[in-house]
């Protein structure tokens, strides 16, 4: 596995190999369907690259890499039920295609399957890998619960929002790199550093996702302004609310459900406020801060600098930055 | 821990000790609520007694015993959503009390918590315990899916039904005794035998549950005839269908939803058919066959006969048999 393309294709092959029983079909078919759905494979890539930072036979890390990807897809499957999302990566979501009960149960089976993949790591590393995985998995659930809680809350602070996305997004990236590094023989200190790297990278990544949803990017397949039309409490919205006067706050609170406005007018109204309050610039600043912090942590690992190159390059490409 | 009461109270104490974070409340409160719901604690009791068949310091087996009980309660929590069941052990089910999304997510967290408990078994036994647990958990999901599939099928055979309850009920009892025995130092052969013991015991237990639902028992807190009124495909119904002529089958198929009949008339109509076709006697025969088989396996374990006494007594009391 010399290139990232080769690593990615090894991950895809490994995931596609999963040999589920034919019966009961409604339990196993949705798992194969979910795993064939594509995506960036960000989490297994990070696990593989973390492993590769400390060891060379990357093949060894594939089952654990698959475990974090299966776990991630399990969370998407159940989140789609909770969010009533009918589409996932351009295809019907599992609950839209097979119904709610099938989605609940096949999601459960998928979580168990993630543990089955994880259980194949070398026995002497299993206790540590399992503990890391369990803590990560529980924190991801906490993040999802906070995310749902926020929908009911009238006011969410920036600090609360950052804590939520750290749990919902960063913690899984952190689990992936820590397990990868651990399997590659990294010291506890290097594992802790890589954890911090992934936390910061995940925050940068999520804030960029928030920004792109409203301000777009040709790499993004989805329409601009979805978060605004849903009235979602994103970093942009929360930052704007924290800087706005009461009259402006009322605009932010109500524009998305104003029956007198068309969708594009709603988006324009909210973005006009964002622009006036310098929200895009502040968001970009926060993204850069987090991302630079992540990269600088890579320099402190106790390996030859050349060994961190791939992880650095991957993080750069993930954030759409030129090398 | 000299008596079963002491073992049970050790299990209750261990479960009650679980120290969940206060936040997010909607994630963790339902887990505590579910675990405080009581029940027989059949699965952890079996794990403890299996451990006690081979070793003496039963305290050691408590985390694994808690893991299987937490897993069992996770399945109940998610099954209640799928079955739209509003009541569990006389209290509102989690989804009835907190809503569907909270039930899905706190169930997920509960499954992860079961793995966290399991991860504390001695490191040298963890790979084997985890593999046993994973296989068990996936099979329980298969059983639940078959159970849901059966609701849509017009005809279910006795063989199919036995396979379903083996997966849905027996496999979890088997996982519990195998993990308990393994932790207690049992040989692979003794583990295999205890697995078979638990499979047979589980089948006897489930068939007895089916029988009691229609024919009652003062120990049972619920009203008689619930399965009949729901049109459930139980062992009794499937056996009756396999023995009835076409006219009688039509009665069995339609009585439960006949608007001209009161509930007690529906129950009486179906039970009249059961009685005429000797279904209660055949079911009791099957229960005894399975239960005797289970007990005879205990005699073949490579331990002094006195060490199997507690497990035997517990199985007897579970099935309501006198020693």
């Amino acid at each position: 596995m010399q290139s990232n393309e080769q690593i990615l294709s090894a991950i895809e092959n490994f995931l596609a190999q999963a040999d589920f029983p034919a019966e009961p079909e409604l339990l196993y078919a949705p798992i194969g369907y979910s795993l064939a759905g594509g995506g960036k494979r960000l989490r297994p890539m990070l696990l593989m690259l973390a492993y590769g930072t400390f060891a060379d036979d990357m093949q060894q890390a594939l089952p654990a890499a698959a475990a974090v990807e299966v776990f991630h897809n399990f969370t998407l499957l159940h989140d789609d039920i909770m969010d009533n999302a009918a589409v996932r990566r351009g295809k019907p979501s599992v609950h839209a295609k097979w119904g709610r009960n099938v989605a609940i149960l096949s999601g459960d089976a998928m979580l168990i399957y993630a543990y089955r993949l994880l259980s194949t790591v070398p026995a002497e590393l299993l206790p540590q890998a399992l503990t890391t995985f369990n803590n990560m998995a529980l924190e991801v659930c906490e993040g999802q619960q906070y995310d749902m809680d926020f929908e009911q809350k009238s006011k969410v602070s920036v600090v609360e929002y950052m804590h939520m996305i750290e749990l919902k997004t960063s913690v899984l990236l952190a689990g992936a790199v820590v397990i990868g590094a651990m399997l590659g023989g990294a010291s506890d200190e290097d594992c802790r550093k890589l954890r911090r790297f992934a936390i910061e990278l995940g925050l940068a990544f999520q804030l960029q996702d928030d920004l792109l949803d409203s301000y777009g990017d040709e790499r993004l397949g989805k329409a601009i302004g979805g978060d605004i039309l849903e009235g979602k409490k994103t970093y942009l919205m929360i930052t704007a609310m924290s800087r706005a006067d009461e009259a402006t706050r009322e605009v932010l609170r109500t524009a998305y459900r104003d029956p007198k406005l068309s969708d594009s007018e709603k988006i324009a109204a909210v973005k006009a406020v964002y622009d006036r309050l310098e929200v895009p610039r502040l968001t970009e600043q926060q993204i850069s801060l987090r991302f630079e912090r992540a990269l600088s942590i890579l320099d402190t690992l106790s390996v030859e600098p050349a060994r961190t190159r791939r992880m650095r390059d991957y993080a750069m490409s993930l954030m759409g930055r030129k090398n």
Side-chain angles (χ1 to χ4, degrees), chain A:
Chain A
M1 290 181 222
Q2 292 309 305
S3 67
N4 287 357
E5 287 67 33
Q6 286 169 319
I7 299 172
L8 187 61
S9 103
I11 293 167
E12 291 293 351
N13 285 339
F14 193 91
L15 288 170
Q17 267 170 32
D19 195 16
F20 296 114
E23 297 280 335
E25 196 196 338
L26 291 176
L27 184 68
Y28 290 113
I31 301 180
Y33 176 83
S34 296
L35 294 178
K40 282 181 297 295
R41 309 301 191 191
L42 165 58
R43 293 145 195 90
M45 280 299 296
L46 287 174
L47 190 147
M48 298 291 283
L49 293 173
Y51 182 92
T53 304
F54 300 93
D56 292 320
D57 51 340
M58 275 199 202
Q59 200 76 22
Q60 302 295 323
L62 277 172
V68 297
E69 181 65 8
V70 170
F71 176 79
H72 174 58
N73 280 272
F74 143 75
T75 64
L76 299 179
L77 206 166
H78 275 189
D79 286 3
D80 282 345
I81 312 173
M82 297 182 239
D83 302 342
N84 233 327
V87 176
R88 165 69 57 191
R89 295 176 187 137
K91 295 195 300 178
S93 62
V94 168
H95 82 101
K97 189 174 163 80
W98 278 284
R100 189 196 60 183
N101 285 357
V102 164
I104 293 174
L105 192 63
S106 62
D108 293 345
M110 217 161 156
L111 174 53
I112 296 161
Y113 177 55
Y115 278 103
R116 178 179 276 185
L117 288 165
L118 189 72
S119 73
T120 65
V121 307
E124 69 277 16
L125 296 171
L126 183 58
Q128 203 185 348
L130 184 58
T131 298
T132 303
F133 194 92
N134 288 334
N135 292 344
M136 167 203 88
L138 216 42
E139 287 184 334
V140 170
C141 290
E142 291 182 6
Q144 170 67 3
Q145 184 60 53
Y146 282 125
D147 198 11
M148 294 196 296
D149 288 347
F150 288 178
E151 286 171 30
Q152 313 301 325
K153 279 177 84 165
S154 58
K155 191 176 178 318
V156 175
S157 72
V158 173
V159 170
E160 287 173 318
Y161 183 75
M162 296 301 280
H163 181 57
M164 183 276 283
I165 62 172
E166 175 166 334
L167 291 168
K168 191 170 169 173
T169 302
S170 287
V171 153
L172 183 41
L173 310 193
V177 295
V178 169
I179 291 172
M182 187 188 292
L183 295 178
S187 67
D188 288 353
E189 196 188 339
D190 279 347
C191 286
R192 271 194 299 276
K193 286 175 175 171
L194 271 171
R195 181 186 160 77
R196 205 60 238 165
F197 156 79
I199 295 285
E200 299 291 351
L201 178 65
L203 294 175
F205 180 69
Q206 184 59 50
L207 296 187
Q208 176 146 298
D209 201 54
D210 285 5
L211 186 65
L212 294 179
D213 193 273
S214 293
Y215 286 88
D217 181 299
E218 67 276 10
R219 292 170 308 165
L220 219 73
K222 47 184 172 175
I224 286 177
D227 287 348
I228 292 175
L229 295 177
E230 284 176 44
K232 252 181 103 171
K233 296 189 184 76
T234 63
Y235 186 79
L236 282 66
M237 177 58 77
I238 290 164
T239 303
M241 290 292 280
S242 76
R243 295 169 62 84
D245 57 29
E246 188 43 40
T248 309
R249 276 201 198 111
E250 195 53 23
V251 174
L252 292 172
R253 267 196 288 266
T254 58
Y256 80 96
R257 50 187 164 85
D258 184 341
K260 296 190 302 296
L261 300 180
S262 70
D263 280 359
S264 58
E265 286 168 336
K266 291 173 186 172
I267 294 170
V270 171
K271 282 173 71 173
V273 174
Y274 286 175
D275 290 337
R276 184 157 54 78
L277 297 173
E278 298 193 283
V279 169
R281 188 183 63 77
L282 291 167
T283 306
E284 271 165 13
Q285 213 169 50
Q286 187 66 221
I287 293 168
S288 292
L289 178 78
R290 299 293 179 167
F291 186 57
E292 294 307 322
R293 212 183 273 173
L295 292 185
S296 71
I297 293 169
L298 285 185
D299 296 332
T300 68
L301 294 177
S302 66
V303 293
E304 285 174 46
R307 292 205 76 106
T308 64
R309 164 60 68 89
R310 279 174 112 158
M311 183 67 98
R312 175 179 306 272
D313 288 353
Y314 184 72
M316 300 278 278
S317 72
L318 180 70
M319 297 298 293
R321 316 261 159 146
K322 293 274 185 303
N323 291 345

